[in-house]
Amino acid sequence: MDEANHGSELLRACNLTKDFRGRRVLSGVSLELLPGTVTGFLGANGAGKTTAIRMMLGLLPGGGETSFIGRPLRAWRDPARVVGAALGGVSGHPKHTVRAHLHMVAAGIGVPNDRVDEVLDRVGMREAGTLHLGRLSLGMAQRIGIAQALLGDPRILILDEPANGLDPHSIHWLRNLLRELANEGRAVLISSHQLAELGQLVDDFVVLARGQVVTRKAIGDLADTVQNRVTLQSPALERLRPLVEQKGGVLHVASEGHADITGLTRFQVGDLAAEHSVPLHWLVENPPSLEDFYLSVAEQEFKAQ
């Protein structure tokens, strides 16, 4: 594949627009995927993430266009070698075995049967090859769906809600797999509304709200836009509140005896409590998370409505 004349991005979606039953569900959505990166596609249920993904892949009609390594997907003779997608597990006849199903998919995209065991090994599912699709757990189906997306050894991988049904061990596995794929020079797009998991998986993220892209940021830039949060436990929160406010901070009571403070560091809070003899039983400073950022963006969007 010759990428020299197409810029650095592997995927470019421009001005995706979609109306459904007279209602606009996507409005001018644009994004780019760069090689070597895992990009999060973030938004609440109903924000338009799956619709945008299906439009990128040519599975839904609508306005705008998407290029894959400089060309529309239909212009590639072997599109499965360019992009692989897992849109919620794996679909097939429930009585077919995993291996038989993947052999059929492999034949359809022109890759040898040996590739099936390679991708099953990569997702840790070699022993599941003899299971029927109808007997797979949700977490197993997610892994098999990723294996299917990898059959063509694509440069671009698109995963829609891949963490659904995964236990903590499997989420750790997914994180390592995505990092390996990115380190091989691929571009990965992962859509999710599970913010805690997504924050550990991605390099940058696009936030979609009400069918529009409202921001894009690198994970490392969160500290520039979201304040650190100090979490503490004290039996004297009402004594502490005016002291915090005098220093320009905000105290939010989370539950009885527990509070979050923004606008001050843990050192400032600790010194303030010591100076005024306010007892603290516990004090920790939490760096800004993807969830904090998303909630701040969502609040701004709510106010704008």
Side-chain angles (χ1 to χ4, degrees):
M1 298 177 187
D2 179 12
E3 301 169 34
N5 298 322
H6 300 303
S8 59
E9 73 271 2
L10 295 183
L11 180 150
R12 178 185 289 271
C14 297
N15 198 33
L16 301 181
T17 302
K18 177 68 176 176
D19 293 333
F20 182 70
R21 294 181 178 176
R23 183 174 66 91
R24 180 141 295 186
V25 294
L26 286 185
S27 181
V29 171
S30 299
L31 60 87
E32 300 83 35
L33 300 184
L34 302 177
T37 61
V38 181
T39 298
F41 202 24
L42 176 63
N45 287 332
K49 304 185 301 297
T50 299
T51 298
I53 286 173
R54 292 178 67 84
M55 287 185 66
M56 291 179 212
L57 295 170
L59 301 176
L60 276 179
E65 59 183 22
T66 302
S67 60
F68 296 80
I69 318 179
R71 307 181 195 173
L73 192 56
R74 62 182 177 276
W76 289 100
R77 185 182 348 177
D78 299 310
R81 298 179 184 271
V82 178
V83 58
L87 307 182
V90 60
S91 297
H93 195 290
K95 291 187 177 181
H96 287 171
T97 66
V98 166
R99 188 169 278 106
H101 171 76
L102 293 179
H103 281 165
M104 286 189 290
V105 176
I109 63 176
V111 300
N113 280 342
D114 290 348
R115 179 65 179 160
V116 169
D117 283 333
E118 290 177 11
V119 296
L120 286 175
D121 282 340
R122 185 141 204 193
V123 301
M125 288 280 109
R126 170 76 80 111
E127 295 181 357
T130 58
L131 295 179
H132 293 101
L133 294 182
R135 301 296 299 273
L136 297 178
S137 68
L138 178 56
M140 294 172 70
Q142 292 282 26
R143 290 199 186 208
I144 299 302
I146 295 172
Q148 179 175 310
L150 291 172
L151 275 173
D153 197 21
R155 295 293 309 279
I156 303 159
L157 191 66
I158 298 177
L159 306 177
D160 191 12
E161 300 285 359
N164 278 356
L166 297 187
D167 57 28
H169 174 79
S170 296
I171 290 175
H172 176 75
W173 162 83
L174 179 63
R175 185 185 313 142
N176 290 338
L177 175 66
L178 296 183
R179 182 51 47 209
E180 289 173 6
L181 293 169
N183 289 343
E184 293 166 2
R186 306 176 205 263
V188 181
L189 179 68
I190 173 173
S191 115
S192 182
H193 64 278
Q194 299 184 31
L195 304 182
E197 288 83 0
L198 195 67
Q200 301 178 59
L201 295 173
V202 303
D203 302 304
D204 60 5
F205 58 92
V206 176
V207 178
L208 196 66
R210 293 182 293 160
Q212 300 180 53
V213 172
V214 293
T215 190
R216 177 169 187 164
K217 280 193 176 293
I219 283 289
D221 293 338
L222 286 181
D224 296 334
T225 53
V226 182
Q227 295 178 320
N228 283 14
R229 178 167 37 89
V230 176
T231 303
L232 59 86
Q233 181 179 9
S234 171
L237 293 179
E238 291 310 313
R239 286 177 52 202
L240 186 60
R241 184 193 299 274
L243 302 174
V244 167
E245 292 174 350
Q246 287 172 14
K247 293 293 185 178
V250 178
L251 185 148
H252 305 271
V253 176
S255 61
E256 185 174 355
H258 295 79
D260 294 330
I261 293 176
T262 55
L264 300 177
T265 68
R266 69 183 187 277
F267 302 108
Q268 291 173 307
V269 174
D271 290 347
L272 192 63
E275 180 183 352
H276 295 274
S277 301
V278 177
L280 294 181
H281 296 168
W282 185 63
L283 177 70
V284 64
E285 187 165 3
N286 304 293
S289 68
L290 184 55
E291 183 174 13
D292 294 329
F293 178 80
Y294 177 74
L295 291 175
S296 70
V297 170
E299 184 177 359
Q300 293 171 13
E301 287 297 311
F302 179 78
K303 290 178 179 177
Q305 291 181 3

